[in-house]
Amino acid sequence: MGKGFFISKALGVVAIILGAGALATIIALSVVYSQEKAKNNNQVSPTDGGTTSKPPATTSSPSNEPWDKYRLPKSLMPSQYNVSLWPRLRPNSETGLYIFTGESSVEFKCAEETDLILIHANKLNFTKLENQMARLTSVNSGVKAPSIKSSLLQNVTQYLVLQLDGKLMKDHIYHLYTEFTGELADDLGGFYRSEYMEDGEKKVVATTQMQPTDARKAFPCFDEPAMKAIFHITLIHDHGTVALSNGEQKESSNFTKDGQNVQKTAFEPTVKMSTYLLAFIVSEFGYINDTIDGVSIRIFARKPAIAGGQGLYALNKTGPILKFFENYYSYKYPLPKSDQIALPDFNAGAMENWGLITYRETALLYDEVYSSNSNKQRIATIIAHELAHMWFGNLVTLRWWNDLWLNEGFASYVEYLGANKAEPNWNVKDLIVLSDVHRVFAVDALVSSHPLSSKEEDIQKPAQISELFDAISYSKGASVLRMLSDFLTEEVFTIGLKTYLTDFAFGNAGYTDLWDHLQMAVDANGTELNDTVHNIMNTWVLQMGFPVVTINTKTGNVSQKHFLLDPESKVTVESPFKYEWIIPIKSMNIGGIQNPIVWLKDKSATFDEMKTSGADWVLANLDVVGYYRVNYDQDNWDRLLNALKTNHLSIPVINRAQLVDDAFNLARAKIIPTVLALKITKYLNKERDYMPWESALTNMDFFYLMFDRSEVYGPMQNYLRKQVIPLFEYYENMTDNWNKVPDGHMDQYNQVNAISLACRTGLEECQHLTKLWFNQWITTNKNQIHPNLRSTVYCNAIATGGFEEWEFAWSKFVNATIAIEADKLRSALACTKQPWLLNRYLEYTLDPNMIRKQDATSTIVYIANNVVGHSLAWDFVRARWEFIFKGYGGGSFSFSNLINGVTKRFSTEFELQQLKQFKTDNSEVGFGSGTLALDQSIERTISNIKWITENKQNVMDWFKTEAKPNEALLF
Ligand code: BES
Ligand code: ZN
């Protein structure tokens, strides 16, 4: 997720607040499912009216013809394309549709004799040329190309199918020419349009998102990552607009076509590359630029955003990050330019098109007044992530999508290294533990998880490819690569990387090729490893899940076991390694003494390093570089608890976060008592660092989800309020009564946590403050709230406010010209406790005039985070599933977030039945990238039901005892 769609923690926290009392109202006002469903059936799906082409007859019955297979045959190999595209930025006066027209010629070599040409094409309407949809010519003089006998479009597998009256000859080169029309729809995929208002005028941008399989929606192409070619691109566009593509502009001239005087811009041929990395953009954007060591760097965005200086941060950071990666990979940036562009409508967070990276506005544009430190960090890391792909992914590309995890996992790891270079004072590298390792542990602990690596034959259809863009590929990929780099040492890791990139430059590879190169580096360096890189990594890559390592400090015995959130769930998938891993263990003892790394290769082993006595403790998985959880014997837990209580700084900050997260999850898996996990939170009244607090809040979120509609809620609030007060006061002092911004990046984050939790637990002083700040904005129309605090302040004010606050925020949202501010308001609008406002807001989410399509699913998830909105959002989603699925697919991870988001509070039999019913009801429609998320949600619900039954009473008792009676009065 990618993280583009992951909702910020602070927002999530605040959004869940509020109002068990509103429960009755929810039930009364809750949308009646059947009514909604009826309404839905009358709705026209956005894709229904969408296509310009009514393709001719297709083969519909399943057969075994080559065009019924999703993978291209190996008979034809493209070498170069000449593509000319003309997007119309005004609608056709008759049809009202926006379209583009194009001409394309592809040169390919015949590798095996064949009388069939299959080339990808989707939703394109081909002009007949001599009665066929394409024209074939031969390049070799003296060899005549066969004629096209018949041409048809196979919609299911997305091919243009050309049958020839004779064979193409092996090793001969041919040209295939086509003319076509496509719709420039607002569907965020292929060649699509984005719209925005400027000075009261609607502006249209034509732009692209090809990954994974939508280049075929822009022009006919061999649309697989290993079919690399050189692309000669030409764009036709109106005067006054700017045309961009992967290559530098070669020439731009006046041109008259179809009676219109337009501009024709040709680009330098690209390097040899995959189709999914192409980009074509026509806009009226402005830009700023710089040159670094001969590489031209430009940032493009809407003109007012550029004029307002919002591109400067990205411009200033791109150079250093690019240089960092050149150095890290020991390979020069392979292109003469690096353009980056912020688009008003964009489905993912960003896309690594080679030389022309596309972003949603919030991921690239930084504004001094409006952006928070979290917004800034996202910009730095996302730039680093996409720039990392320029080598890893673009220069060397995985052969097929089944290895996507290596591409995305790698970029998701090194994005932290790149961002650290851009902002060395932030300690941003530590945050991978919270954002990736801990985050993915939650899904990888389910039996419905899956291994990082998929089999090539299992990944065929576009929907199967899209499904791979999930937390496992991104976050588990990042986590295991970080572990690998750590045990090899960065020096050896980067030597292996360098030879891998050099060997496969402009070509394709598989993940085992990387292991080969790393092994060569290991051998050359004489690094001592317990086994080969292949053997070690296979245990992490070829089986799902991860181990819990149990250390008995009395005996020094260390053992491993597959960690399952629900210990009663049955693993039905066999693993080649029987769910055992080769585990590197770094550890330390009291006094900060680090032990040499030990390797656990079998089910269990005994190590002297793990044996302690007296007051000494062992702390394993230092800095959480290993992809596993750790459990100890009770004595060692007690000693660690004591260390936290008496001198928490003796344990490194990342491991304090780990102790909290491990303990809560071990408790959920019934390995340790829940009360032991709760006990750890007692030291938080002395904790001032961000990471442990954040870890605790994530785990408390689960408690909120499970208990905010039950009698546990009150005592829990009392206890947490008591724990957060010292932190709240600490920041009150540090900031001179909220008048200054803390210096440190992490402190800025933790200040937000302090306010969110204090307000959430009903601390009056906090609620008073947020109301005051928001009301000052309403009355003076001047917003003086610091951007770091805006999300939480807006949310709290809207939650405790009513119609007036909501309408005020909505009007600010509608008129916002800065996407980052609009986003903060959009999430806060979901915090209201008024069911009718939430229902109306839900309706807005599917109206692109109110909420941009790119933001629809995340807005529904914001609403579901709110205790009042949860059932409303669930009713809404299941009633409109087909409409949402067809109109908001776009081949990204938003569906898995949507399904996870609207079901995460599920904890009753009734909800479980509804969830299963939802799965059955929509089996025909499908769930696309949300397929796996649905099974995960079912599994999670089952585990939640059990957890509540087993824990409710003792959790309530514990909170009651721990919250001092005199503070138990607010609820
Ligand atoms: N290649 C992806 C973008 C993408 C995602 C394309 C899903 C098609 C489907 C890009 O490199 C990416 O991973 N973007 C992330 C940002 C990153 C910082 C995790 C995103 O979009 O959120
Ligand atoms: Zn990526």
Side-chain angles (χ1 to χ4, degrees):
M1 180 226 225
K3 278 154 280 182
F5 294 97
F6 297 110
I7 293 156
S8 114
K9 194 54 201 313
L11 291 179
V13 168
V14 201
I16 315 176
I17 316 182
L18 312 169
L23 198 62
T25 343
I26 306 170
I27 298 163
L29 279 176
S30 176
V31 184
V32 179
Y33 177 47
S34 56
Q35 279 176 1
E36 274 297 309
K37 188 120 186 145
K39 212 158 73 185
N40 180 40
N41 289 342
N42 298 330
Q43 224 152 9
V44 182
S45 143
T47 48
D48 288 346
T51 48
T52 49
S53 64
K54 271 263 174 290
T58 59
T59 38
S60 54
S61 59
S63 65
N64 219 9
E65 301 291 357
W67 51 82
D68 293 319
K69 298 193 175 79
Y70 284 88
R71 293 296 304 272
L72 284 167
K74 305 251 181 298
S75 44
L76 309 176
M77 293 294 170
S79 47
Q80 45 183 332
Y81 293 77
N82 255 303
V83 183
S84 168
L85 293 168
W86 184 7
R88 310 300 201 282
L89 303 189
R90 275 182 296 272
N92 179 289
S93 55
E94 279 160 33
T95 61
L97 289 177
Y98 289 83
I99 62 152
F100 63 92
T101 51
E103 296 165 19
S104 167
S105 168
V106 51
E107 176 180 290
F108 60 83
K109 186 172 178 179
C110 172
E112 287 161 27
E113 252 187 23
T114 177
D115 57 3
L116 179 70
I117 297 175
L118 293 183
I119 184 164
H120 284 112
N122 186 21
K123 297 190 178 159
L124 296 176
N125 199 8
F126 288 90
T127 309
K128 290 271 167 76
L129 307 164
E130 290 121 43
N131 215 26
Q132 297 297 343
M133 289 192 234
R135 183 188 298 140
L136 180 70
T137 50
S138 163
V139 171
N140 307 68
S141 56
V143 178
K144 198 174 165 310
S147 302
I148 300 174
K149 208 164 61 178
S150 76
S151 38
L152 61 87
L153 290 167
Q154 170 53 295
N155 282 352
V156 180
T157 42
Q158 307 178 341
Y159 286 126
L160 167 62
V161 181
L162 304 168
Q163 278 168 315
L164 311 177
D165 70 352
K167 298 254 189 216
L168 296 172
M169 283 171 22
K170 186 166 159 33
D171 293 336
H172 281 261
I173 295 171
Y174 300 90
H175 278 177
L176 186 73
Y177 175 77
T178 50
E179 291 178 10
F180 49 89
T181 307
E183 188 188 351
L184 196 67
D186 61 350
D187 56 0
L188 309 167
F191 207 9
Y192 72 93
R193 75 174 195 280
S194 170
E195 297 178 352
Y196 62 98
M197 298 297 287
E198 195 175 293
D199 301 331
E201 207 187 312
K202 180 165 117 175
K203 305 270 181 189
V204 175
V205 180
T207 183
T208 51
Q209 169 58 43
M210 308 306 200
Q211 196 187 19
T213 55
D214 276 337
R216 62 190 72 168
K217 226 169 134 242
F219 67 103
C221 54
F222 296 90
D223 198 10
E224 292 194 358
M227 296 283 190
K228 289 195 174 186
I230 291 166
F231 296 85
H232 305 256
I233 306 294
T234 303
L235 291 174
I236 296 169
H237 54 108
D238 283 349
H239 294 295
T241 59
V242 189
L244 297 170
S245 187
N246 307 76
E248 284 196 302
Q249 178 175 319
K250 187 164 69 180
E251 55 193 26
S252 194
S253 54
N254 245 328
F255 179 66
T256 302
K257 199 174 178 192
D258 301 344
Q260 290 185 52
N261 185 251
V262 285
Q263 189 98 14
K264 181 174 169 175
T265 301
F267 299 90
E268 294 290 349
T270 66
V271 291
K272 201 173 165 205
M273 63 183 277
S274 305
T275 47
Y276 81 87
L277 293 169
L278 287 168
F280 322 125
I281 304 179
V282 175
S283 73
E284 291 179 42
F285 283 2
Y287 71 92
I288 45 176
N289 69 317
D290 201 352
T291 306
I292 280 152
D293 287 350
V295 177
S296 144
I297 295 175
R298 297 187 293 184
I299 308 291
F300 285 83
R302 289 180 291 109
K303 280 184 183 145
I306 291 295
Q310 291 176 37
L312 284 169
Y313 181 71
L315 186 69
N316 291 339
K317 296 301 171 188
T318 298
I321 297 176
L322 207 61
K323 284 282 129 196
F324 168 78
F325 282 123
E326 282 191 338
N327 196 25
Y328 183 76
Y329 292 126
S330 306
Y331 198 111
K332 221 183 130 23
Y333 177 70
L335 304 184
K337 67 128 172 163
S338 171
D339 286 337
Q340 298 178 94
I341 185 163
L343 295 158
D345 300 278
F346 191 76
N347 209 8
M351 174 66 212
E352 69 267 27
N353 314 299
W354 214 357
L356 175 52
I357 308 176
T358 42
Y359 294 82
R360 60 167 62 197
E361 289 195 350
T362 50
L364 189 68
L365 303 180
Y366 177 80
D367 186 283
E368 285 291 343
V369 177
Y370 288 95
S371 303
S372 64
N373 68 320
S374 151
N375 298 142
K376 198 177 200 177
Q377 185 189 315
R378 175 155 147 86
I379 295 167
T381 47
I382 206 159
I383 292 177
H385 178 107
E386 306 310 336
L387 289 179
H389 276 311
M390 301 297 116
W391 292 260
F392 207 100
N394 298 10
L395 178 66
V396 178
T397 310
L398 278 326
R399 258 188 292 278
W400 182 244
W401 296 110
N402 62 316
D403 278 347
L404 177 88
W405 73 270
L406 184 61
N407 192 24
E408 291 304 348
F410 188 88
S412 299
Y413 164 49
V414 299
E415 72 183 45
Y416 290 95
L417 311 186
N420 183 54
K421 183 70 186 179
E423 297 288 354
N425 300 325
W426 284 358
N427 284 341
V428 69
K429 286 201 287 183
D430 295 356
L431 294 178
I432 191 172
V433 171
L434 298 176
S435 312
D436 293 283
V437 187
H438 285 173
R439 182 172 76 96
V440 73
F441 272 168
V443 265
D444 207 18
L446 302 173
V447 288
S448 54
S449 187
H450 61 91
L452 274 171
S453 179
S454 311
K455 290 208 194 77
E456 183 166 348
E457 59 272 24
D458 290 344
I459 307 299
Q460 302 267 333
K461 301 179 188 180
Q464 292 169 327
I465 299 169
S466 293
E467 250 185 82
L468 292 175
F469 290 84
D470 69 355
I472 297 288
S473 295
Y474 277 77
S475 295
K476 182 174 182 177
S479 307
V480 302
L481 291 167
R482 170 171 172 261
M483 174 168 74
L484 172 62
S485 172
D486 186 77
F487 70 71
L488 293 182
T489 72
E490 188 166 286
E491 193 194 338
V492 172
F493 187 73
T494 49
I495 292 173
L497 265 182
K498 177 190 171 171
T499 59
Y500 166 83
L501 290 174
T502 318
D503 259 31
F504 294 99
F506 303 103
N508 296 79
Y511 76 89
T512 53
D513 294 314
L514 179 60
W515 297 169
D516 285 341
H517 280 266
L518 292 173
Q519 188 64 51
M520 286 187 251
V522 165
D523 296 342
N525 188 66
T527 311
E528 292 238 353
L529 281 189
N530 181 277
D531 206 326
T532 61
V533 173
H534 277 267
N535 289 346
I536 296 169
M537 291 313 287
N538 277 347
T539 69
W540 300 97
V541 167
L542 299 178
Q543 58 186 350
M544 70 172 180
F546 57 90
V548 47
V549 169
T550 303
I551 299 171
N552 184 335
T553 56
K554 285 194 191 70
T555 58
N557 184 271
V558 181
S559 60
Q560 58 164 302
K561 190 169 185 282
H562 184 187
F563 180 83
L564 290 172
L565 201 61
D566 177 358
E568 285 152 32
S569 55
K570 289 273 162 300
V571 182
T572 49
V573 185
E574 273 187 33
S575 151
F577 305 101
K578 303 197 166 44
Y579 294 103
E580 281 178 22
W581 288 263
I582 303 183
I583 312 173
I585 305 178
K586 273 187 169 175
S587 63
M588 71 180 262
N589 296 86
I590 198 166
I593 304 151
Q594 282 199 28
N595 296 314
I597 192 166
V598 298
W599 287 87
L600 179 62
K601 203 171 173 176
D602 304 304
K603 207 155 194 68
S604 76
T606 301
F607 302 99
D608 282 346
E609 291 88 343
M610 301 295 166
K611 216 165 146 177
T612 53
S613 56
D616 188 16
W617 39 255
V618 172
L619 179 73
N621 201 4
L622 271 194
D623 291 338
V624 194
V625 283
Y627 187 68
Y628 54 89
R629 293 198 183 279
V630 189
N631 185 25
Y632 305 96
D633 58 288
Q634 185 61 46
D635 284 351
N636 198 58
W637 273 118
D638 289 342
R639 289 190 288 250
L640 288 169
L641 273 176
N642 191 46
L644 286 176
K645 207 166 90 192
T646 53
N647 179 15
H648 65 275
L649 297 176
S650 63
I651 295 177
V653 64
I654 302 181
N655 286 93
R656 301 205 296 277
Q658 170 215 26
L659 286 172
V660 172
D661 198 67
D662 276 357
F664 273 102
N665 285 282
L666 292 169
R668 277 180 71 183
K670 294 198 226 166
I671 296 172
I672 62 169
T674 303
V675 164
L676 172 55
L678 285 169
K679 269 190 195 158
I680 294 191
T681 66
K682 287 179 70 172
Y683 98 98
L684 288 174
N685 56 10
K686 283 198 249 93
E687 181 61 90
R688 302 291 174 258
D689 270 312
Y690 166 69
M691 289 191 59
W693 264 106
E694 183 64 19
S695 179
L697 289 182
T698 309
N699 287 288
M700 280 301 121
D701 262 354
F702 172 69
F703 278 62
Y704 272 109
L705 291 175
M706 294 303 105
F707 293 134
D708 63 5
R709 296 165 291 173
S710 83
E711 71 262 50
V712 183
Y713 184 68
M716 177 167 98
Q717 288 283 75
N718 292 338
Y719 171 69
L720 291 176
R721 183 175 345 102
K722 183 179 127 192
Q723 292 303 81
V724 78
I725 285 173
L727 191 72
F728 185 79
E729 287 169 351
Y730 172 77
Y731 282 107
E732 194 172 21
N733 287 337
M734 181 193 273
T735 60
D736 253 347
N737 217 1
W738 314 109
N739 285 313
K740 277 194 340 218
V741 184
D743 290 334
H745 184 62
M746 299 286 185
D747 264 334
Q748 292 183 26
Y749 278 147
N750 217 22
Q751 182 197 14
V752 178
N753 276 343
I755 294 180
S756 305
L757 188 63
C759 278
R760 180 187 202 174
T761 53
L763 186 71
E764 262 183 49
E765 192 188 338
C766 179
Q767 294 187 331
H768 173 76
L769 267 179
T770 57
K771 256 189 243 162
L772 180 79
W773 291 338
F774 196 78
N775 285 339
Q776 275 171 352
W777 184 19
I778 299 187
T779 45
T780 62
N781 208 21
K782 251 183 92 188
N783 188 348
Q784 294 188 326
I785 309 163
H786 190 273
N788 287 355
L789 308 184
R790 283 187 183 181
S791 293
T792 186
V793 171
Y794 295 176
C795 177
N796 277 290
I798 289 172
T800 47
F803 179 65
E804 193 200 345
E805 284 78 4
W806 202 94
E807 284 292 300
F808 175 78
W810 175 257
S811 75
K812 293 288 173 196
F813 168 74
V814 171
N815 294 315
T817 50
I818 295 190
I820 257 165
E821 178 67 7
D823 260 18
K824 295 186 174 88
L825 289 159
R826 185 168 59 84
S827 63
L829 286 164
C831 296
T832 176
K833 280 191 282 184
Q834 311 280 330
W836 74 275
L837 285 175
L838 289 169
N839 262 338
R840 191 179 64 166
Y841 196 27
L842 279 168
E843 294 291 338
Y844 290 0
T845 61
L846 298 186
D847 177 351
N849 295 318
M850 301 286 216
I851 301 284
R852 287 182 186 273
K853 276 186 156 191
Q854 62 170 10
D855 297 324
T857 54
S858 64
T859 310
I860 299 172
V861 172
Y862 291 145
I863 296 172
N865 281 347
N866 178 340
V867 62
V868 184
H870 173 250
S871 58
L872 307 179
W874 166 238
D875 281 348
F876 184 78
V877 166
R878 62 194 175 127
R880 309 288 179 91
W881 181 253
E882 185 170 353
F883 181 72
I884 297 175
F885 186 71
K886 293 197 170 143
Y888 293 82
S892 72
F893 17 61
S894 62
F895 280 151
S896 52
N897 288 334
L898 180 62
I899 290 178
N900 284 327
V902 295
T903 62
K904 67 178 170 198
R905 210 180 278 273
F906 280 7
S907 51
T908 65
E909 265 314 316
F910 182 60
E911 286 162 332
L912 178 63
Q913 291 319 320
Q914 284 189 345
L915 194 48
K916 288 182 173 164
Q917 191 63 42
F918 172 64
K919 189 178 172 184
T920 323
D921 285 352
N922 293 291
S923 56
E924 293 270 296
V925 181
F927 302 94
S929 57
T931 312
L932 198 67
L934 191 58
D935 287 332
Q936 289 167 347
S937 298
I938 292 176
E939 193 181 340
R940 229 185 345 247
T941 306
I942 296 172
S943 131
N944 289 348
I945 295 171
K946 285 194 240 171
W947 189 83
I948 290 200
T949 320
E950 285 159 20
N951 287 284
K952 190 170 168 186
Q953 193 58 47
N954 58 351
V955 166
M956 184 157 76
D957 293 345
W958 193 87
F959 280 134
K960 272 189 181 156
T961 323
E962 290 302 323
K964 276 197 196 125
N966 65 350
E967 280 176 352
L969 29 95
L970 281 169
F971 284 90

